[in-house]
CSV table of all heavy atoms in Angstrom, one decimal:
chain,number,residue,atom,x,y,z
A,1,VAL,N,-2.7,-0.4,0.5
A,1,VAL,CA,-1.7,0.0,1.5
A,1,VAL,C,-0.5,0.6,0.7
A,1,VAL,O,-0.1,0.0,-0.3
A,1,VAL,CB,-1.2,-1.2,2.3
A,1,VAL,CG1,-0.1,-0.8,3.3
A,1,VAL,CG2,-2.3,-1.9,3.0
A,2,ALA,N,0.0,1.7,1.1
A,2,ALA,CA,1.0,2.4,0.4
A,2,ALA,C,1.8,3.3,1.3
A,2,ALA,O,1.4,3.7,2.4
A,2,ALA,CB,0.4,3.3,-0.7
A,3,CYS,N,3.1,3.6,0.9
A,3,CYS,CA,3.9,4.6,1.5
A,3,CYS,C,3.6,6.0,1.0
A,3,CYS,O,3.2,6.1,-0.2
A,3,CYS,CB,5.4,4.3,1.3
A,3,CYS,SG,6.0,2.8,2.1
A,4,MET,N,3.7,7.0,1.8
A,4,MET,CA,3.6,8.3,1.3
A,4,MET,C,4.6,8.6,0.2
A,4,MET,O,5.7,8.0,0.2
A,4,MET,CB,3.8,9.3,2.5
A,4,MET,CG,2.9,9.2,3.6
A,4,MET,SD,1.2,9.6,3.2
A,4,MET,CE,0.4,9.4,4.8
A,5,ASP,N,4.3,9.6,-0.6
A,5,ASP,CA,5.2,10.1,-1.6
A,5,ASP,C,6.5,10.5,-0.9
A,5,ASP,O,6.5,11.3,0.0
A,5,ASP,CB,4.6,11.2,-2.4
A,5,ASP,CG,5.4,11.6,-3.7
A,5,ASP,OD1,6.4,10.9,-4.0
A,5,ASP,OD2,5.0,12.5,-4.4
A,6,GLY,N,7.7,10.0,-1.4
A,6,GLY,CA,8.9,10.3,-0.8
A,6,GLY,C,9.3,9.4,0.4
A,6,GLY,O,10.4,9.6,0.9
A,7,GLU,N,8.5,8.5,0.7
A,7,GLU,CA,8.8,7.5,1.8
A,7,GLU,C,9.3,6.2,1.2
A,7,GLU,O,8.7,5.6,0.4
A,7,GLU,CB,7.6,7.2,2.6
A,7,GLU,CG,7.2,8.3,3.6
A,7,GLU,CD,8.1,8.3,4.9
A,7,GLU,OE1,8.9,7.4,5.0
A,7,GLU,OE2,7.9,9.3,5.7
A,8,TRP,N,10.5,5.8,1.6
A,8,TRP,CA,11.1,4.6,1.1
A,8,TRP,C,11.2,3.5,2.1
A,8,TRP,O,11.8,2.4,1.8
A,8,TRP,CB,12.5,5.0,0.6
A,8,TRP,CG,12.4,6.0,-0.5
A,8,TRP,CD1,12.6,7.3,-0.4
A,8,TRP,CD2,12.1,5.8,-1.9
A,8,TRP,NE1,12.4,8.0,-1.6
A,8,TRP,CE2,12.1,7.0,-2.6
A,8,TRP,CE3,11.8,4.6,-2.6
A,8,TRP,CZ2,11.8,7.2,-3.9
A,8,TRP,CZ3,11.5,4.8,-4.0
A,8,TRP,CH2,11.5,6.0,-4.6
A,9,HIS,N,10.7,3.6,3.3
A,9,HIS,CA,10.7,2.6,4.3
A,9,HIS,C,9.5,1.7,4.1
A,9,HIS,O,8.5,1.9,4.7
A,9,HIS,CB,10.7,3.2,5.7
A,9,HIS,CG,12.0,4.0,6.0
A,9,HIS,ND1,12.1,5.3,5.6
A,9,HIS,CD2,13.1,3.6,6.6
A,9,HIS,CE1,13.3,5.7,6.0
A,9,HIS,NE2,13.9,4.8,6.6
A,10,ALA,N,9.6,0.7,3.2
A,10,ALA,CA,8.4,0.0,2.7
A,10,ALA,C,8.2,-1.3,3.6
A,10,ALA,O,7.1,-1.8,3.5
A,10,ALA,CB,8.6,-0.4,1.3
A,11,LEU,N,9.1,-1.8,4.4
A,11,LEU,CA,8.9,-3.0,5.1
A,11,LEU,C,7.8,-2.9,6.2
A,11,LEU,O,6.9,-3.8,6.3
A,11,LEU,CB,10.2,-3.5,5.7
A,11,LEU,CG,10.1,-4.9,6.4
A,11,LEU,CD1,9.5,-6.0,5.5
A,11,LEU,CD2,11.5,-5.3,6.9
A,12,PRO,N,7.8,-1.8,7.0
A,12,PRO,CA,6.7,-1.8,8.0
A,12,PRO,C,5.3,-1.8,7.4
A,12,PRO,O,4.4,-2.6,7.9
A,12,PRO,CB,7.0,-0.5,8.7
A,12,PRO,CG,8.5,-0.3,8.6
A,12,PRO,CD,8.8,-0.8,7.2
A,13,PRO,N,5.0,-1.0,6.4
A,13,PRO,CA,3.7,-1.1,5.8
A,13,PRO,C,3.4,-2.4,5.1
A,13,PRO,O,2.3,-2.9,5.0
A,13,PRO,CB,3.6,0.1,4.8
A,13,PRO,CG,5.0,0.5,4.5
A,13,PRO,CD,5.7,0.2,5.8
A,14,ARG,N,4.5,-3.1,4.6
A,14,ARG,CA,4.3,-4.4,4.0
A,14,ARG,C,3.9,-5.4,5.1
A,14,ARG,O,3.0,-6.3,4.9
A,14,ARG,CB,5.7,-4.9,3.4
A,14,ARG,CG,5.7,-6.3,3.0
A,14,ARG,CD,4.9,-6.5,1.7
A,14,ARG,NE,4.8,-7.9,1.3
A,14,ARG,CZ,5.7,-8.6,0.7
A,14,ARG,NH1,6.9,-8.1,0.4
A,14,ARG,NH2,5.5,-9.9,0.4
A,15,LEU,N,4.4,-5.3,6.3
A,15,LEU,CA,3.9,-6.1,7.4
A,15,LEU,C,2.5,-5.9,7.7
A,15,LEU,O,1.7,-6.8,8.0
A,15,LEU,CB,4.8,-5.9,8.6
A,15,LEU,CG,6.2,-6.4,8.6
A,15,LEU,CD1,7.0,-5.8,9.8
A,15,LEU,CD2,6.3,-7.9,8.6
A,16,VAL,N,2.1,-4.6,7.7
A,16,VAL,CA,0.6,-4.3,7.9
A,16,VAL,C,-0.2,-4.9,6.8
A,16,VAL,O,-1.3,-5.5,7.1
A,16,VAL,CB,0.4,-2.7,7.9
A,16,VAL,CG1,-1.1,-2.4,7.9
A,16,VAL,CG2,1.1,-2.1,9.1
A,17,ALA,N,0.3,-4.8,5.6
A,17,ALA,CA,-0.5,-5.4,4.4
A,17,ALA,C,-0.7,-6.9,4.6
A,17,ALA,O,-1.8,-7.4,4.4
A,17,ALA,CB,0.3,-5.1,3.1
A,18,GLU,N,0.4,-7.6,5.1
A,18,GLU,CA,0.3,-9.0,5.3
A,18,GLU,C,-0.6,-9.4,6.4
A,18,GLU,O,-1.3,-10.4,6.4
A,18,GLU,CB,1.7,-9.6,5.4
A,18,GLU,CG,2.6,-9.5,4.2
A,18,GLU,CD,1.9,-10.0,2.9
A,18,GLU,OE1,1.2,-10.9,3.0
A,18,GLU,OE2,2.2,-9.4,1.9
A,19,VAL,N,-0.6,-8.6,7.5
A,19,VAL,CA,-1.5,-8.9,8.6
A,19,VAL,C,-3.0,-8.7,8.2
A,19,VAL,O,-3.9,-9.5,8.5
A,19,VAL,CB,-1.2,-8.0,9.8
A,19,VAL,CG1,-2.3,-8.0,10.9
A,19,VAL,CG2,0.2,-8.4,10.4
A,20,LEU,N,-3.2,-7.7,7.4
A,20,LEU,CA,-4.6,-7.4,6.9
A,20,LEU,C,-5.0,-8.6,6.0
A,20,LEU,O,-6.1,-9.1,6.0
A,20,LEU,CB,-4.6,-6.1,6.1
A,20,LEU,CG,-4.5,-4.8,6.9
A,20,LEU,CD1,-4.4,-3.6,6.0
A,20,LEU,CD2,-5.7,-4.7,7.8
A,21,ARG,N,-4.0,-9.1,5.2
A,21,ARG,CA,-4.3,-10.2,4.3
A,21,ARG,C,-4.7,-11.5,5.1
A,21,ARG,O,-5.6,-12.2,4.8
A,21,ARG,CB,-3.1,-10.5,3.4
A,21,ARG,CG,-3.5,-11.1,2.1
A,21,ARG,CD,-2.2,-11.5,1.3
A,21,ARG,NE,-1.3,-10.4,1.1
A,21,ARG,CZ,-1.3,-9.5,0.2
A,21,ARG,NH1,-2.3,-9.5,-0.7
A,21,ARG,NH2,-0.4,-8.5,0.2
A,22,LEU,N,-3.9,-11.7,6.2
A,22,LEU,CA,-4.1,-12.9,7.0
A,22,LEU,C,-5.5,-12.8,7.7
A,22,LEU,O,-6.1,-13.8,8.0
A,22,LEU,CB,-3.0,-13.0,8.1
A,22,LEU,CG,-1.7,-13.4,7.6
A,22,LEU,CD1,-0.6,-13.2,8.7
A,22,LEU,CD2,-1.7,-14.9,7.2
A,23,ARG,N,-6.0,-11.6,7.9
A,23,ARG,CA,-7.3,-11.4,8.5
A,23,ARG,C,-8.5,-11.3,7.5
A,23,ARG,O,-9.6,-10.9,7.9
A,23,ARG,CB,-7.2,-10.1,9.4
A,23,ARG,CG,-6.3,-10.3,10.6
A,23,ARG,CD,-6.5,-9.3,11.6
A,23,ARG,NE,-5.5,-9.4,12.7
A,23,ARG,CZ,-5.7,-8.9,13.9
A,23,ARG,NH1,-6.7,-8.1,14.2
A,23,ARG,NH2,-4.8,-9.1,14.9
A,24,GLY,N,-8.2,-11.6,6.3
A,24,GLY,CA,-9.2,-11.8,5.3
A,24,GLY,C,-9.5,-10.7,4.3
A,24,GLY,O,-10.4,-10.8,3.5
A,25,TRP,N,-8.7,-9.6,4.4
A,25,TRP,CA,-8.9,-8.5,3.5
A,25,TRP,C,-8.2,-8.8,2.2
A,25,TRP,O,-7.2,-9.5,2.1
A,25,TRP,CB,-8.4,-7.2,4.1
A,25,TRP,CG,-9.1,-6.7,5.3
A,25,TRP,CD1,-8.8,-6.9,6.6
A,25,TRP,CD2,-10.4,-6.0,5.3
A,25,TRP,NE1,-9.7,-6.3,7.4
A,25,TRP,CE2,-10.7,-5.8,6.6
A,25,TRP,CE3,-11.2,-5.6,4.3
A,25,TRP,CZ2,-11.9,-5.1,7.0
A,25,TRP,CZ3,-12.4,-4.9,4.6
A,25,TRP,CH2,-12.7,-4.7,6.0
A,26,GLN,N,-8.8,-8.3,1.1
A,26,GLN,CA,-8.1,-8.3,-0.2
A,26,GLN,C,-7.2,-7.1,-0.3
A,26,GLN,O,-7.7,-6.0,-0.4
A,26,GLN,CB,-9.2,-8.3,-1.3
A,26,GLN,CG,-8.6,-8.4,-2.7
A,26,GLN,CD,-9.6,-8.3,-3.8
A,26,GLN,OE1,-10.8,-8.3,-3.5
A,26,GLN,NE2,-9.2,-8.3,-5.1
A,27,VAL,N,-5.9,-7.4,-0.2
A,27,VAL,CA,-5.0,-6.3,0.0
A,27,VAL,C,-4.2,-6.0,-1.3
A,27,VAL,O,-3.7,-6.9,-2.0
A,27,VAL,CB,-4.0,-6.6,1.1
A,27,VAL,CG1,-3.0,-5.4,1.3
A,27,VAL,CG2,-4.7,-6.8,2.4
A,28,THR,N,-4.1,-4.7,-1.6
A,28,THR,CA,-3.2,-4.3,-2.7
A,28,THR,C,-2.1,-3.5,-2.1
A,28,THR,O,-2.4,-2.4,-1.5
A,28,THR,CB,-3.9,-3.5,-3.8
A,28,THR,OG1,-5.0,-4.2,-4.3
A,28,THR,CG2,-3.0,-3.0,-4.9
A,29,PHE,N,-0.9,-4.0,-2.2
A,29,PHE,CA,0.3,-3.2,-1.6
A,29,PHE,C,1.0,-2.5,-2.7
A,29,PHE,O,1.6,-3.1,-3.6
A,29,PHE,CB,1.2,-4.2,-0.9
A,29,PHE,CG,2.4,-3.5,-0.3
A,29,PHE,CD1,2.3,-2.6,0.7
A,29,PHE,CD2,3.7,-3.9,-0.7
A,29,PHE,CE1,3.4,-1.9,1.3
A,29,PHE,CE2,4.8,-3.3,-0.1
A,29,PHE,CZ,4.6,-2.3,0.9
A,30,LEU,N,1.0,-1.2,-2.6
A,30,LEU,CA,1.6,-0.4,-3.7
A,30,LEU,C,3.1,-0.1,-3.5
A,30,LEU,O,3.7,0.5,-4.4
A,30,LEU,CB,0.8,0.9,-3.9
A,30,LEU,CG,-0.7,0.7,-4.3
A,30,LEU,CD1,-1.3,2.1,-4.5
A,30,LEU,CD2,-0.8,-0.1,-5.5
A,31,GLY,N,3.6,-0.3,-2.3
A,31,GLY,CA,5.0,-0.2,-2.0
A,31,GLY,C,5.4,1.2,-1.7
A,31,GLY,O,4.6,2.0,-1.2
A,32,ALA,N,6.7,1.5,-1.9
A,32,ALA,CA,7.3,2.8,-1.5
A,32,ALA,C,7.0,3.9,-2.4
A,32,ALA,O,6.8,3.8,-3.6
A,32,ALA,CB,8.8,2.6,-1.4
A,33,SER,N,7.0,5.1,-1.8
A,33,SER,CA,6.9,6.4,-2.5
A,33,SER,C,5.9,6.4,-3.6
A,33,SER,O,6.3,6.5,-4.8
A,33,SER,CB,8.3,6.8,-3.0
A,33,SER,OG,8.3,8.1,-3.5
A,34,VAL,N,4.6,6.4,-3.2
A,34,VAL,CA,3.6,6.4,-4.2
A,34,VAL,C,3.1,7.9,-4.4
A,34,VAL,O,2.6,8.5,-3.5
A,34,VAL,CB,2.4,5.5,-3.8
A,34,VAL,CG1,1.3,5.6,-4.9
A,34,VAL,CG2,2.8,4.1,-3.5
A,35,PRO,N,3.2,8.4,-5.6
A,35,PRO,CA,2.8,9.8,-5.9
A,35,PRO,C,1.3,9.9,-5.6
A,35,PRO,O,0.5,9.0,-6.0
A,35,PRO,CB,3.1,10.1,-7.3
A,35,PRO,CG,4.2,9.1,-7.6
A,35,PRO,CD,3.9,7.9,-6.8
A,36,ALA,N,0.8,11.0,-5.0
A,36,ALA,CA,-0.6,11.2,-4.7
A,36,ALA,C,-1.5,11.0,-5.9
A,36,ALA,O,-2.5,10.3,-5.8
A,36,ALA,CB,-0.8,12.5,-4.0
A,37,ALA,N,-1.1,11.6,-7.0
A,37,ALA,CA,-2.0,11.6,-8.2
A,37,ALA,C,-2.2,10.1,-8.6
A,37,ALA,O,-3.3,9.7,-9.1
A,37,ALA,CB,-1.4,12.4,-9.3
A,38,HIS,N,-1.1,9.3,-8.6
A,38,HIS,CA,-1.2,7.9,-9.0
A,38,HIS,C,-2.0,7.1,-8.0
A,38,HIS,O,-2.8,6.2,-8.5
A,38,HIS,CB,0.2,7.3,-9.1
A,38,HIS,CG,1.1,8.0,-10.2
A,38,HIS,ND1,1.8,7.2,-11.1
A,38,HIS,CD2,1.3,9.2,-10.5
A,38,HIS,CE1,2.4,8.0,-12.0
A,38,HIS,NE2,2.1,9.2,-11.6
A,39,LEU,N,-1.9,7.4,-6.7
A,39,LEU,CA,-2.7,6.7,-5.8
A,39,LEU,C,-4.2,7.0,-6.0
A,39,LEU,O,-5.0,6.1,-6.0
A,39,LEU,CB,-2.3,7.1,-4.4
A,39,LEU,CG,-3.2,6.5,-3.2
A,39,LEU,CD1,-3.1,5.0,-3.2
A,39,LEU,CD2,-2.7,7.0,-1.9
A,40,VAL,N,-4.5,8.3,-6.2
A,40,VAL,CA,-5.9,8.6,-6.4
A,40,VAL,C,-6.5,8.0,-7.7
A,40,VAL,O,-7.6,7.5,-7.7
A,40,VAL,CB,-6.1,10.2,-6.4
A,40,VAL,CG1,-7.5,10.6,-6.9
A,40,VAL,CG2,-5.8,10.8,-5.1
A,41,SER,N,-5.7,8.0,-8.7
A,41,SER,CA,-6.1,7.3,-10.0
A,41,SER,C,-6.4,5.9,-9.7
A,41,SER,O,-7.4,5.3,-10.3
A,41,SER,CB,-5.0,7.5,-11.0
A,41,SER,OG,-5.3,6.8,-12.2
A,42,TYR,N,-5.6,5.2,-8.9
A,42,TYR,CA,-5.8,3.8,-8.6
A,42,TYR,C,-7.1,3.6,-7.9
A,42,TYR,O,-7.8,2.7,-8.1
A,42,TYR,CB,-4.6,3.3,-7.8
A,42,TYR,CG,-4.6,1.8,-7.7
A,42,TYR,CD1,-4.0,1.0,-8.6
A,42,TYR,CD2,-5.2,1.2,-6.6
A,42,TYR,CE1,-4.0,-0.4,-8.5
A,42,TYR,CE2,-5.3,-0.2,-6.5
A,42,TYR,CZ,-4.6,-1.0,-7.4
A,42,TYR,OH,-4.7,-2.4,-7.3
A,43,LEU,N,-7.3,4.5,-6.9
A,43,LEU,CA,-8.5,4.4,-6.1
A,43,LEU,C,-9.8,4.6,-6.9
A,43,LEU,O,-10.8,4.0,-6.7
A,43,LEU,CB,-8.5,5.4,-4.9
A,43,LEU,CG,-7.4,5.2,-3.9
A,43,LEU,CD1,-7.4,6.3,-2.9
A,43,LEU,CD2,-7.6,3.9,-3.2
A,44,HIS,N,-9.7,5.5,-7.9
A,44,HIS,CA,-10.8,5.7,-8.8
A,44,HIS,C,-11.1,4.4,-9.7
A,44,HIS,O,-12.2,4.2,-10.0
A,44,HIS,CB,-10.5,6.9,-9.8
A,44,HIS,CG,-10.7,8.2,-9.1
A,44,HIS,ND1,-10.1,9.3,-9.6
A,44,HIS,CD2,-11.4,8.6,-8.0
A,44,HIS,CE1,-10.4,10.4,-8.8
A,44,HIS,NE2,-11.2,9.9,-7.8
A,45,ARG,N,-10.0,3.7,-10.0
A,45,ARG,CA,-10.2,2.5,-10.8
A,45,ARG,C,-10.7,1.3,-10.1
A,45,ARG,O,-11.5,0.5,-10.6
A,45,ARG,CB,-8.8,2.2,-11.5
A,45,ARG,CG,-8.9,1.0,-12.5
A,45,ARG,CD,-7.6,0.9,-13.2
A,45,ARG,NE,-7.6,-0.2,-14.2
A,45,ARG,CZ,-6.6,-0.5,-14.9
A,45,ARG,NH1,-5.5,0.2,-14.9
A,45,ARG,NH2,-6.8,-1.5,-15.8
């Protein structure tokens, strides 16, 4: 779960992340303003 690059409103997606966690998913919350290249690198890893 992440915010788009340039997005700083991190609380709403954090709530989504926690609901997903409560429903059994293994959640990684990357927070606000994640550059696309860094997100893709993380997904590859």
Side-chain angles (χ1 to χ4, degrees):
V1 181
C3 292
M4 302 290 181
D5 193 1
E7 283 282 354
W8 299 98
H9 297 82
L11 184 55
R14 172 74 187 279
L15 290 169
V16 172
E18 296 308 326
V19 168
L20 291 172
R21 206 186 311 275
L22 288 168
R23 296 195 179 197
W25 294 99
Q26 181 181 354
V27 179
T28 301
F29 180 59
L30 300 183
S33 190
V34 181
H38 292 229
L39 174 60
V40 169
S41 176
Y42 190 89
L43 295 176
H44 283 158
R45 184 172 181 178

